[in-house]
Amino acid sequence: MSDEPLREGDLDSQHTVDLPEGLVDEVAEALENGALEQASDLIRPLHYADAADLIEQLSPEQRPLVMSLPGAPLDPEVLSALDETVREEILEDLSPEVLAALVRELASDDAVDLIEDMEEADLREVLDSLPEDDRARIEESLAYPEFSAGRLMSHDLVAVPEFWTVGECIDYLRAAADREDLDGEDLLPEEFYDIYVVDPRHHPVGTLPLNHLLRRRRPVLLSDIVRRDIRMIPATMDQEEVAYLFSQRDLVSAPVVDEDGRLVGTITIDDVVDVIQEEQEEDVLRLAGVAETDLFSGVFQTARSRFSWLLINLGTAVLASLVIGLFDASIDQMVALAVLMPIVASMGGNAGTQTLTVVVRALAMRDLTEDSAHRVLIKEVLVGLSNGVLFALLTGLVTWGWFSDPGIGAVIACAMLFNLIVAGLAGASIPLAMQRLGVDPAIASTVILTTVTDVVGFFAFLGLAALTLM
């Protein structure tokens, strides 16, 4: 891992965190020509996150070669920063012994994230290659549900008894920094923000930020300065709940406890930032019916993952077409209807998507609750009414001038007004209804909304035309 200072002129670049231009091509060419030393010299100075970005942009055949380049091994955190699909490809080519050596260099939470999706037999082989202490900690985390705080937490923390003084605590930290355990591991975490103060049963009674500790005189008791208003996180709590708690309380770290209230780990803000990013990306991708692995997956795998979503869209399109088919005689008599009806449907779809996006985000961020749901529904209906009136007048007048027929202008104006009101109502109510049913609102809301606005738009426009113009 490189912590080199920025060179002069680095901050003048528009993208200071991008890979240097042409570096990926240079590495790919070196690997293709068998110039492994050259490829190693190009990759090793990079920060582990940049190295991960570079590996992702290589071809599937070249990616595993990077992990066996001559010289010192790559920073194991490169694997943690890789896209899940790419990481699985690379892990398949690593022996259990090599993978176990990489796992030992990682924090326990990163190690769990690296190996938790492996096949049971391969996972057991890796675990058996680890020292007993490392194996026990990873197995403890793996025993908790997927996407829970227990999987997210790190076992690397500092816990001290509440009867100690500030001086005793500082002396302990200094002594531990110079010692290693029986397996050669540091007794102190590489990075930590808070010290956890525990009672004799190892229950956390509070936290002590490092800056508070260093500002106190040595004789002061920890029990007199500890922060007791802490929010302890159950190991079984869902990671989305953890992220929400960190966001609401502006936490930097928090203790994780088991069902008996004993301190078993800690979660830090860097892990929570990753969770927030993953959850937001997941919601955005689900709205479009694609998977996060699509970018790095093969053609067949990507096509297969998108097929089911497109099949559902085909069914909803057929439903909208059936509505149009009910008025085929009217369309035959007035060609203008065929020209104008997509306008009503598309406006309703766009207006509904605006509402849907706002509501899904509000639900994800816990800004929208059952108490405020009715106010949001009323507001969105009124927004639909307001925009509906404006666009009804606009499209009505344009249509009147276009076809020199005030009747068809009035029909499209009424249909536009009605569909925008329905779009606002549907865009707000569909995700709320899906959440109440226990379904992720991001999964299928878009398909349902599009169906509603298409069917209502076509039916309103063609139905009014059939009643008034034929």
Side-chain angles (χ1 to χ4, degrees):
M1 184 170 63
S2 174
D3 290 322
E4 297 178 1
L6 290 173
R7 296 184 298 273
E8 184 178 356
D10 281 351
L11 293 178
D12 296 332
S13 172
Q14 183 179 358
H15 304 290
T16 58
V17 296
D18 283 353
L19 292 170
E21 185 176 354
L23 179 61
V24 176
D25 291 336
E26 288 185 55
V27 173
E29 184 177 353
L31 293 174
E32 186 176 349
N33 296 332
L36 301 185
E37 292 281 358
Q38 179 186 353
S40 178
D41 292 340
L42 291 170
I43 294 176
R44 295 196 186 282
L46 298 176
H47 185 275
Y48 69 85
D50 296 329
D53 289 342
L54 186 147
I55 293 172
E56 290 171 354
Q57 297 181 54
L58 297 174
S59 68
E61 296 76 21
Q62 293 172 332
R63 291 167 186 161
L65 297 176
V66 177
M67 299 307 299
S68 57
L69 291 175
L74 283 181
D75 190 327
E77 291 193 79
V78 170
L79 288 173
S80 299
L82 284 172
D83 175 83
E84 186 176 337
T85 303
V86 177
R87 185 168 60 203
E88 288 177 0
E89 291 176 3
I90 293 177
L91 293 184
E92 289 176 358
D93 294 325
L94 297 180
S95 67
E97 293 76 16
V98 172
L99 187 53
L102 293 171
V103 168
R104 286 196 61 187
E105 298 297 320
L106 293 170
S108 58
D109 54 332
D110 291 330
V112 170
D113 182 56
L114 185 65
I115 65 175
E116 62 181 348
D117 294 323
M118 295 179 63
E119 296 291 337
E120 182 63 31
D122 296 333
L123 176 61
R124 177 45 53 189
E125 199 170 353
V126 171
L127 291 175
D128 290 341
S129 302
L130 293 173
E132 184 176 350
D133 288 346
D134 292 340
R135 181 171 65 249
R137 291 192 297 176
I138 292 177
E139 286 178 336
E140 180 183 353
S141 293
L142 291 174
Y144 292 108
E146 192 174 7
F147 307 118
S148 67
R151 291 287 185 99
L152 190 63
M153 71 180 181
S154 171
H155 294 274
D156 303 320
L157 53 84
V158 178
V160 297
E162 61 180 329
F163 58 80
W164 273 9
T165 64
V166 168
E168 288 174 313
C169 183
I170 292 176
D171 291 342
Y172 164 75
L173 294 175
R174 288 173 176 168
D178 296 329
R179 300 203 320 268
E180 297 178 345
D181 63 16
L182 297 178
D183 295 320
E185 299 289 338
D186 293 335
L187 291 177
L188 285 183
E190 184 176 346
E191 294 180 359
F192 60 98
Y193 310 103
D194 295 313
I195 297 171
Y196 297 116
V197 181
V198 296
D199 65 15
R201 295 178 298 170
H202 210 63
H203 292 174
V205 298
T207 61
L208 187 59
L210 291 176
N211 62 317
H212 284 205
L213 177 72
L214 297 176
R215 289 175 179 175
R216 302 290 180 169
R217 296 188 178 276
R218 292 180 61 86
V220 176
L221 289 172
L222 297 184
S223 58
D224 293 336
I225 60 173
V226 65
R227 288 183 171 181
R228 299 183 183 271
D229 57 336
I230 60 171
R231 176 64 186 268
M232 290 177 285
I233 298 177
T236 54
M237 178 183 285
D238 186 88
Q239 65 178 20
E240 285 192 56
E241 298 282 343
V242 175
Y244 177 72
L245 178 62
F246 267 69
S247 176
Q248 286 292 98
R249 303 289 180 87
D250 293 328
L251 300 178
V252 175
S253 66
V256 181
V257 296
D258 61 15
E259 58 184 6
D260 296 323
R262 297 180 70 254
L263 180 65
V264 293
T266 180
I267 293 177
T268 52
I269 186 63
D270 57 320
D271 298 311
V272 174
V273 169
D274 292 338
V275 170
I276 293 172
Q277 181 178 356
E278 289 169 6
E279 295 294 341
Q280 288 180 340
E281 289 177 352
E282 185 180 82
D283 287 344
V284 171
L285 292 171
R286 281 179 171 179
L287 283 171
V290 296
E292 60 182 335
T293 59
D294 278 8
L295 181 61
F296 304 105
S297 300
V299 173
F300 177 74
Q301 184 179 354
T302 302
R304 184 176 59 184
S305 70
R306 298 182 186 180
F307 176 81
S308 58
W309 193 260
L310 292 174
L311 183 62
I312 294 173
N313 275 268
L314 176 61
T316 60
V318 169
L319 179 60
S321 297
L322 291 175
V323 173
I324 296 174
L326 296 175
F327 301 95
D328 55 352
S330 302
I331 296 173
D332 288 339
Q333 295 180 41
M334 185 173 288
V335 178
L337 298 181
V339 176
L340 295 173
M341 63 183 183
I343 298 176
V344 179
S346 65
M347 286 295 294
N350 288 331
T353 300
Q354 289 177 333
T355 301
L356 180 71
T357 303
V358 171
V359 172
V360 169
R361 179 190 178 280
L363 289 172
M365 300 299 294
R366 311 296 175 83
D367 293 331
L368 181 57
T369 64
E370 290 189 4
D371 294 336
S372 60
H374 68 283
R375 293 195 297 271
V376 173
L377 284 172
I378 294 172
K379 174 192 171 184
E380 292 302 331
V381 169
L382 293 176
V383 170
L385 175 61
S386 301
N387 282 330
V389 170
L390 295 175
F391 282 101
L393 291 172
L394 179 61
T395 54
L397 292 172
V398 170
T399 302
W400 182 2
W402 186 1
F403 294 98
S404 302
D405 187 342
I408 197 170
V411 167
I412 196 172
C414 293
M416 180 73 72
L417 173 61
F418 183 68
N419 202 25
L420 287 184
I421 294 174
V422 171
L425 178 61
S429 60
I430 289 172
L432 289 171
M434 294 187 69
Q435 186 185 55
R436 178 161 292 193
L437 293 173
V439 180
D440 189 341
I443 293 178
S445 294
T446 305
V447 173
I448 299 174
L449 174 66
T450 302
T451 303
V452 170
T453 54
D454 283 353
V455 170
V456 171
F458 291 143
F459 193 84
F461 180 57
L462 296 175
L464 286 171
L467 289 175
T468 60
L469 302 178
M470 302 301 166

